Amino acid sequence: MNEGRKNCKEFEDFLKERAVIEEKYGKDLVTLCKKKPCGQTEINTLKRALDVFKQQIDNIGQCHIQLAQTLRDEARKMEEFRERQKAERKRIEAAMEAMHKQRQTHYKRVMDCKKTYEQKCREKEEAEQNVARCNKNNMNQKQQDKIYTKLAHSKVTAEDADKTYQQSINLLDKIREDWQTEHVMACVFFENQDWERINYYRNAVWTHVNQLSQQCITNDVMCEKVRKALEGCSIEKDVEYFTENHKTGSKPPAPIPYENFYNNQKNSAPAIRRGVQQTPTTQPDDPAYASVGDYRMYQ
């Protein structure tokens, strides 16, 4: 029983330590996603895929934190199971201890009764021997009466002691039977309790590895989402997207022509040529205006 309780405590501590590891790992993953950039200057489909990647890593971290809490809950259940069995054992052990003490106490009483019975029997034998000697030695009447009275008293006390001794033996046997019945019932109870403990322990480990397997499945589902996002990443679209958002025009720059230094000097002061000016005409209806082509001005 003690070794079984110790084994349950060891598994309980194991779950608690595993929970600390899972929680630290999960928090580190969440912190990594928040503090460390990962392709933050990428664009379009690859950027979306990387966003999914970081989000799923954050989700994996959160799942590990949840797993840590789940493991703590399992450790608490193991602790409650262990404490419940401990309380049940104490109840049975207290009943067995009380029965055992009663048996020991009555056994001591029986031994005292036996000792008294043997002493009274010896006194009776001694009185009988005195009577026999009295008959042989021809003692006076007073001494004979005293001896016979003592013999009668010793017979009565011996019979009483014998009766008390027999009653004590019978009662002790009944107590022994009750103690034996209680002992057998306690052994059966403890055996069933160990069956329950082994079954609970086995199921607890089974549940633990199922939780770890589920965590792996959850991680794989999240990784699959990242793979799906990466499958949607198009190199052609990303390049086109970059081109559309950073292009400077639809035609390339014109080539730069060769310019001769000396030709530039000769042509540095070119003659200014003007076109033939029109002669202003005065409109007959408005002598204050003159017109040049389609424009009018003050004279």
Side-chain angles (χ1 to χ4, degrees):
M1 296 275 96
N2 289 332
E3 290 175 355
R5 185 172 67 249
K6 179 182 177 183
N7 292 334
C8 289
K9 183 65 168 61
E10 289 176 351
F11 184 67
E12 174 191 332
D13 294 338
F14 180 88
L15 291 179
K16 290 180 179 179
E17 290 295 327
R18 179 65 187 266
V20 172
I21 295 172
E22 291 291 342
E23 184 176 38
K24 184 178 183 303
Y25 178 62
K27 288 183 176 179
D28 288 344
L29 284 180
V30 173
T31 301
L32 176 66
C33 292
K34 289 181 179 179
K35 292 185 176 181
K36 292 294 181 180
C38 183
Q40 61 181 352
T41 60
E42 286 294 344
I43 59 173
N44 207 31
T45 60
L46 181 57
K47 177 176 176 56
R48 289 195 292 269
L50 291 176
D51 289 342
V52 173
F53 166 71
K54 287 193 67 176
Q55 181 60 49
Q56 296 309 316
I57 294 298
D58 182 270
N59 291 343
I60 290 175
Q62 296 292 346
C63 286
H64 279 281
I65 295 174
Q66 293 176 3
L67 176 61
Q69 184 58 44
T70 301
L71 296 181
R72 288 193 180 94
D73 292 340
E74 292 299 321
R76 178 180 51 78
K77 292 178 183 178
M78 176 60 76
E79 181 181 9
E80 292 174 352
F81 172 79
R82 182 170 52 82
E83 291 298 326
R84 177 175 62 81
Q85 283 207 330
K86 181 180 178 181
E88 291 175 350
R89 282 197 300 273
K90 281 188 175 181
R91 178 173 55 83
I92 298 299
E93 289 169 0
M96 289 185 65
E97 185 67 21
M99 187 69 68
H100 182 67
K101 286 182 178 180
Q102 182 182 7
R103 190 176 70 93
Q104 284 184 320
T105 300
H106 200 73
Y107 175 79
K108 185 176 181 299
R109 187 179 303 168
V110 168
M111 292 299 101
D112 292 339
C113 290
K114 179 182 179 182
K115 184 177 179 180
T116 302
Y117 165 71
E118 291 174 349
Q119 179 65 29
K120 297 302 180 181
C121 287
R122 283 191 292 269
E123 291 176 359
K124 176 187 174 185
E125 289 178 352
E126 185 179 353
E128 290 175 346
Q129 290 174 2
N130 290 334
V131 170
R133 284 194 296 269
C134 175
N135 293 330
K136 290 181 180 180
N137 295 334
N138 296 319
M139 293 182 180
N140 58 38
Q141 188 65 36
K142 185 177 180 180
Q143 289 177 334
Q144 289 179 2
D145 292 343
K146 183 178 180 180
I147 291 173
Y148 278 109
T149 301
K150 186 175 182 181
L151 175 61
H153 179 71
S154 64
K155 286 182 178 179
V156 172
T157 55
E159 289 175 358
D160 290 341
D162 180 55
K163 184 178 180 181
T164 302
Y165 177 46
Q166 289 184 17
Q167 290 176 346
S168 297
I169 286 292
N170 293 334
L171 181 59
L172 178 61
D173 189 59
K174 182 179 183 306
I175 293 174
R176 182 193 60 80
E177 290 178 353
D178 293 342
W179 171 82
Q180 183 173 337
T181 301
E182 183 72 22
H183 189 81
V184 171
M185 291 174 59
C187 289
V188 172
F189 175 83
F190 290 146
E191 180 180 350
N192 292 335
Q193 194 179 57
D194 216 38
W195 272 79
E196 182 185 15
R197 182 191 64 81
I198 294 173
N199 182 61
Y200 188 89
Y201 200 152
R202 182 192 64 175
N203 292 341
V205 177
W206 196 300
T207 300
H208 175 60
V209 296
N210 282 347
Q211 291 166 346
L212 299 182
S213 296
Q214 183 61 44
Q215 180 67 28
C216 293
I217 294 172
T218 303
N219 289 352
D220 186 65
V221 169
M222 295 177 181
C223 291
E224 182 63 23
K225 292 181 180 179
V226 177
R227 288 189 286 267
K228 290 290 185 182
L230 292 173
E231 287 177 355
C233 175
S234 170
I235 301 175
E236 181 181 358
K237 289 182 179 180
D238 287 357
V239 173
E240 289 178 355
Y241 181 84
F242 177 83
T243 302
E244 287 296 323
N245 284 273
H246 295 83
K247 66 182 179 179
T248 56
S250 59
K251 296 181 180 180
I256 301 175
Y258 168 75
E259 297 180 0
N260 188 281
F261 176 77
Y262 298 102
N263 291 341
N264 289 340
Q265 282 187 338
K266 292 178 180 180
N267 299 327
S268 60
I272 298 176
R273 298 181 180 179
R274 297 180 180 178
V276 179
Q277 296 182 353
Q278 297 180 4
T279 302
T281 58
T282 301
Q283 296 182 3
D285 57 345
D286 189 1
Y289 286 89
S291 62
V292 180
D294 294 334
Y295 295 93
R296 296 182 179 183
M297 65 182 72
Y298 286 104
Q299 286 184 342

